[in-house]
Amino acid sequence: MSEPMTHSEGAGPTRRDFLYITTGATAAVGTVAFAWPFIDQMRPDASTLAVSSIEVNVESLEPGMSLTVKWRGKPVFIRNRTPEEIEQANSVPLEELKDPLARNANIDGTSPATDLARSAGEGKENWLVQIGVCTHLGCIPLGQSGDFGGWFCPCHGSHYDTAGRIRKGPAPENLPVPTFAFTSDTVIKIG
């Protein structure tokens, strides 16, 4: 004689299985519908996206002049350096630098902090674009100041050279270079 078959041994899906699956699916859809407004509100609004990049006309900047613009709520220093400032930055041995990395968002993150790696690149070495926030505590350095003729943060005494590299003081890193590109000979797009 054979033993009677139990429910778990051979029967197909039951009404109870269907109810479990339906309840789970309904709960999942309800959770997503409930959470979506919270997730959606984390996206940046149109005004934020509009200022994610700016274009700056630098036609009027003669060698030795600087311009400060605001990008993403931060000051950005744009400097048309003189040949003397470029020569001074090039003459610094890399082993003397406090921060050996270029900190340039336009090139490889491990690039050394040479003057060329900190500038707008080959053929535009005179142009320097960097976020004007001291890497120590977020103060705004003064331009064409300090022991190295670049930037000086009077709050805590950080000195940057003419390539925006930290040379003296408590700041741990060079001034960061944001993503930028020349869209023409006289217009820089930041961001």
Side-chain angles (χ1 to χ4, degrees):
M1 244 185 174
S2 69
E3 294 183 25
M5 194 164 62
T6 62
H7 169 71
S8 63
E9 290 178 354
T14 64
R15 183 175 178 182
R16 179 174 290 171
D17 296 333
F18 174 76
L19 289 174
Y20 283 146
I21 292 170
T22 304
T23 304
T26 303
V29 169
T31 301
V32 169
F34 177 77
W36 182 251
F38 298 108
I39 295 167
D40 189 49
Q41 61 97 20
M42 288 187 245
R43 288 188 308 157
D45 68 345
S47 65
T48 303
L49 293 174
V51 296
S52 65
S53 67
I54 60 170
E55 289 191 355
V56 181
N57 188 335
V58 295
E59 184 175 16
S60 63
L61 284 183
E62 297 293 324
M65 294 178 67
S66 295
L67 173 68
T68 302
V69 296
K70 191 173 182 179
W71 173 66
R72 294 184 180 175
K74 298 176 186 172
V76 174
F77 300 150
I78 301 172
R79 180 147 179 88
N80 187 355
R81 299 183 299 168
T82 63
E84 294 80 25
E85 289 174 324
I86 297 168
E87 184 181 325
Q88 182 182 5
N90 279 323
S91 69
V92 176
L94 293 180
E95 55 274 0
E96 285 184 15
L97 296 176
K98 190 173 178 180
D99 181 10
L101 299 177
R103 309 276 176 208
N104 186 339
N106 301 292
I107 59 175
D108 179 34
T110 61
S111 296
T114 63
D115 181 63
L116 184 61
R118 302 269 311 145
S119 71
E122 195 74 40
K124 294 194 180 289
E125 297 92 346
N126 58 313
W127 290 103
L128 194 65
V129 178
Q130 56 196 358
I131 298 174
V133 177
C134 180
T135 58
H136 178 232
L137 290 176
C139 306
I140 300 175
L142 304 173
Q144 293 73 58
S145 302
D147 292 351
F148 303 95
W151 288 264
F152 172 65
C153 184
C155 302
H156 301 98
S158 294
H159 297 260
Y160 299 89
D161 67 9
T162 58
R165 300 174 295 198
I166 184 64
R167 299 289 302 281
K168 179 178 164 185
E173 296 179 352
N174 300 323
L175 292 175
V177 177
T179 303
F180 75 94
F182 276 85
T183 57
S184 73
D185 286 341
T186 59
V187 176
I188 298 173
K189 181 178 182 182
I190 303 171

